[in-house]
Amino acid sequence: MKKNFFLLKIKNYWFWFLSFFYFAFILLLPIFSLLKIISETSFDEFFKKATEPIALSAYSITISMAFFACIFNLIFGFILAWVLVRYNFPGKKFLDIAIDLPFALPTSVAGLTLATVYSDKGWIGKILTNFGIQIVFTKLGIIIAMIFVSFPFVVRTLQPVLQEIEKELEEAAWSLGASSWNTFVKVVFPPLIPAILTGTTLAFSRAIGEYGSVVLISSNFPLKDLIASVLIFQYLEQYDYIGATVIGSVVLIISLFLLLTINFLQSWNQKYLKR
């Protein structure tokens, strides 16, 4: 008995050691390397690089485009997740599989496909051109690219939570005289809030860090439609490692602040639901 207990403790130690080693090697080491380079840069130089007009424009475009893409994904991702869980129809399995396509498809291929479809000669872009709407080489193209790569996060986060909601709770609310809307707002929606926040955060973070598809569908002109990830690559092409590191660290800080805010909102929501 003691021998088995001793072996179990050794296995637990190895489990924690390997988990910590993997976490440190994959996540902490790159972040610390980035912070080390930043620590070797003076505050004046960091502030100057981080607040250049091109950099400020890149932050603004990246965050605003990611925000619009995130709102779009939240609305239509929720609708699609609801349809997949609550309804049966021909082609449902195919649609369910197709949602994961952005996960498997290289972003450069996605960008090339989007640029081809939405260009002036593409079958969608040609129609939109007749109405004076241009997609490729504009901010609208950036939004579409961000929507494409981040769409699965909202659907796949909401789908399992919707499947776990018991239909009997809704039927009980209906039997007590609640309308379909009141049942949705007071019974169905509250348990979905943590999943909605998580999926929205993941989609937003994915959109902020997108590069491969955006670089092909936008013109990448400074102060027009240049996003932060493309700006970092342009700095690296110019061997300006300090500039690339500064922009990368600012984006990292924004992402961490966003994640901490969402975690706080989730904790607050869970405490609110327990009352």
Side-chain angles (χ1 to χ4, degrees):
M1 186 70 179
K2 291 183 178 180
K3 183 179 180 181
N4 292 335
F5 178 75
F6 180 73
L7 292 175
L8 182 62
K9 289 190 67 176
I10 294 177
K11 290 181 179 179
N12 288 334
Y13 285 136
W14 270 106
F15 173 78
W16 285 109
F17 173 77
L18 292 175
S19 300
F20 179 78
F21 177 80
Y22 180 81
F23 175 77
F25 184 78
I26 298 297
L27 183 63
L28 294 182
L29 185 60
I31 293 178
F32 283 142
S33 300
L34 180 67
L35 296 177
K36 183 178 182 301
I37 298 175
I38 293 298
S39 64
E40 297 173 353
T41 306
S42 64
F43 177 78
D44 292 336
E45 185 179 3
F46 178 90
F47 185 79
K48 182 180 178 181
K49 283 284 186 182
T51 57
E52 287 180 345
I54 295 177
L56 294 176
S57 174
Y59 304 147
S60 175
I61 293 171
T62 303
I63 294 175
S64 59
M65 297 300 100
F67 175 77
F68 288 126
C70 186
I71 295 299
F72 183 92
N73 282 336
L74 175 60
I75 296 173
F76 290 94
F78 181 88
I79 295 174
L80 183 55
W82 183 274
V83 169
L84 288 174
V85 172
R86 294 301 179 99
Y87 300 97
N88 292 316
F89 52 89
K92 177 180 177 180
K93 290 185 178 179
F94 175 78
L95 179 61
D96 195 20
I97 295 172
I99 291 173
D100 294 327
L101 186 61
F103 287 146
L105 193 67
T107 55
S108 58
V109 177
L112 180 61
T113 304
L114 293 174
T116 303
V117 172
Y118 290 101
S119 66
D120 295 340
K121 297 181 180 180
W123 63 279
I124 295 180
K126 188 183 297 184
I127 298 174
L128 295 176
T129 302
N130 296 329
F131 297 95
I133 301 175
Q134 183 180 354
I135 302 295
V136 179
F137 305 140
T138 64
K139 293 180 180 178
L140 190 56
I142 297 176
I143 295 177
I144 292 176
M146 288 182 173
I147 289 173
F148 180 81
V149 299
S150 61
F151 185 74
F153 288 95
V154 177
V155 179
R156 292 309 185 206
T157 306
L158 282 172
Q159 200 171 356
V161 182
L162 282 171
Q163 290 173 342
E164 292 297 325
I165 296 178
E166 297 179 358
K167 191 72 174 179
E168 289 78 8
L169 295 176
E170 299 177 55
E171 294 174 352
W174 294 335
S175 66
L176 293 174
S179 63
S180 298
W181 174 250
N182 286 334
T183 301
F184 174 79
V185 172
K186 297 182 179 180
V187 177
V188 178
F189 186 73
L192 296 177
I193 293 178
I196 290 174
L197 292 175
T198 301
T200 304
T201 305
L202 292 175
F204 187 80
S205 301
R206 179 67 181 86
I208 286 179
E210 177 55 20
Y211 170 80
S213 60
V214 173
V215 73
L216 293 175
I217 202 172
S218 67
S219 62
N220 303 311
F221 287 157
L223 306 178
K224 180 190 174 186
D225 59 356
L226 181 66
I227 64 172
S229 58
V230 179
L231 178 60
I232 293 172
F233 185 75
Q234 290 182 354
Y235 276 138
L236 291 175
E237 285 186 320
Q238 301 166 9
Y239 300 100
D240 186 359
Y241 299 112
I242 297 298
T245 305
V246 168
I247 303 301
S249 63
V250 172
V251 175
L252 175 64
I253 292 172
I254 293 173
S255 299
L256 288 176
F257 176 77
L258 176 66
L259 292 174
L260 290 174
T261 303
I262 295 301
N263 287 331
F264 171 77
L265 291 175
Q266 287 181 337
S267 300
W268 175 83
N269 179 69
Q270 291 176 355
K271 292 180 180 179
Y272 177 79
L273 291 176
K274 290 179 178 179
R275 292 179 181 178

